[in-house]
Amino acid sequence: MLEYGVISQKGSRKVNEDFTGAVRKGDTWCFVLADGLGGEGKGEIASSLAVQSVLEYFRSEGGLTRECLEKCFELAQDGLLKKQREMNCSNEMKTTMVVLLTDGKHARWGHSGDSRLYYIEDGERFFHTRDHSVPQMLAALGAIEEKDIRGHEDRNRLLKALGVEWTSAGYEISEEVDVKESDCFLLCTDGFWEGITEEQMLADLKISESMEQWLETMERELLEYGTSNELDNYSAVAVGKGR
């Protein structure tokens, strides 16, 4: 039996430009998270439009396939570009996005930008998607260490996102993985993962009895981090089996 929890807060900002959503079709769930970019309300429009287009498509035609994930990103992209033309704001209404499809036994995911999906196996080992950002590129080249991505001066410079013209696919899709009873997932915006290390995530998971409690524990630590740092919008979706 899958369970999930969601948090989404504006942090120190005036407006929350993050958006999340979840929908179930048959035995398969679709979880979506997006972090809007653009200011003056445009980021808020971008993230909500992207998430709603994914949920609407999955509700009617979705399944646990690579083709479904590709269609999710393509539809979100097309919808954003159309909205930009209507509002005469080309390239000003953008968003990151993460999509997870799972039936509790198998999972696939896709992402664009620097919102992340963490896949945690047995509560011990973790994998996370690689940001489409300048600091992630520098880490891949060995110019900086992975831990230095947090707080890097160019961390907000994205190499891929929805809402900009693509010359190639502006997203990445994973292979299907087999999910064990103890495995779980965390979708989160950069405003969330910037203030919490992976070691903290794992430690908090071990002492939590539910996905909601896991999020609540991490949020307390994030707010403590925010006492000496300005908090961006932060959002997260935790997905796993009943603990």
Side-chain angles (χ1 to χ4, degrees):
M1 186 74 177
L2 277 179
E3 65 170 45
Y4 70 96
V6 179
I7 58 171
S8 186
Q9 301 291 341
K10 64 181 182 179
S12 304
R13 310 296 194 213
K14 292 182 179 180
V15 177
N16 187 359
E17 295 186 314
D18 295 350
F19 208 84
T20 67
V23 66
R24 181 180 181 180
K25 183 183 180 188
D27 293 331
T28 304
W29 281 88
C30 173
F31 299 96
V32 195
L33 174 146
D35 178 359
L37 313 165
E40 298 181 354
K42 296 185 180 69
E44 185 179 9
I45 294 172
S47 61
S48 62
L49 183 63
V51 169
Q52 289 167 359
S53 69
V54 170
L55 297 180
E56 181 179 345
Y57 166 71
F58 186 83
R59 190 179 290 112
S60 63
E61 300 183 47
L64 213 168
T65 65
R66 181 182 184 88
E67 291 73 22
C68 174
L69 275 171
E70 291 174 345
K71 192 69 172 179
C72 286
F73 283 88
E74 298 288 346
L75 287 173
Q77 169 74 345
D78 291 346
L80 278 178
L81 295 181
K82 179 181 178 182
K83 193 67 172 179
Q84 287 177 3
R85 291 191 293 270
E86 292 173 356
M87 296 180 64
N88 193 27
C89 58
S90 178
N91 291 326
E92 294 180 15
M93 184 184 295
K94 298 172 284 188
T95 188
T96 70
M97 191 166 76
V98 183
V99 181
L100 168 67
L101 306 180
T102 182
D103 60 4
K105 297 179 181 179
H106 310 281
R108 288 181 181 270
W109 56 84
H111 80 291
S112 179
D114 62 355
S115 290
R116 293 179 175 180
L117 178 138
Y118 284 84
Y119 174 34
I120 300 174
E121 298 182 86
D122 297 323
E124 297 286 348
R125 301 177 302 280
F126 72 87
F127 155 90
H128 73 74
T129 52
R130 298 308 178 198
D131 309 331
H132 299 133
S133 69
V134 169
Q136 184 72 75
M137 180 184 67
L138 293 174
L141 293 171
I144 65 173
E145 294 186 29
E146 186 79 15
K147 64 180 179 62
D148 296 327
I149 292 175
R150 286 181 169 87
H152 192 278
E153 59 183 3
D154 290 327
R155 193 175 56 75
N156 292 324
R157 293 180 59 191
L158 300 184
L159 303 177
K160 292 183 180 182
L162 304 180
V164 295
E165 295 287 352
W166 296 341
T167 55
S168 59
Y171 56 87
E172 288 185 49
I173 304 296
S174 78
E175 297 299 322
E176 183 176 294
V177 300
D178 295 328
V179 180
K180 301 184 290 295
E181 286 287 330
S182 56
D183 295 349
C184 60
F185 299 89
L186 180 70
L187 293 71
C188 54
T189 60
D190 65 330
F192 188 89
W193 61 254
E194 182 181 33
I196 303 177
T197 66
E198 286 75 23
E199 290 74 21
Q200 286 175 300
M201 292 178 185
L202 294 177
D204 291 342
L205 177 61
K206 289 179 180 179
I207 62 173
S208 299
E209 297 181 355
S210 67
M211 294 295 100
E212 287 188 353
Q213 186 179 0
W214 185 29
L215 286 180
E216 290 169 358
T217 304
M218 289 189 289
E219 185 178 24
R220 285 195 297 270
E221 294 175 346
L222 181 60
L223 292 175
E224 183 176 340
Y225 165 82
T227 59
S228 55
N229 298 272
E230 185 174 336
L231 283 181
D232 193 0
N233 300 157
Y234 63 89
S235 299
V237 181
V239 182
K241 301 288 183 67
R243 297 172 65 78

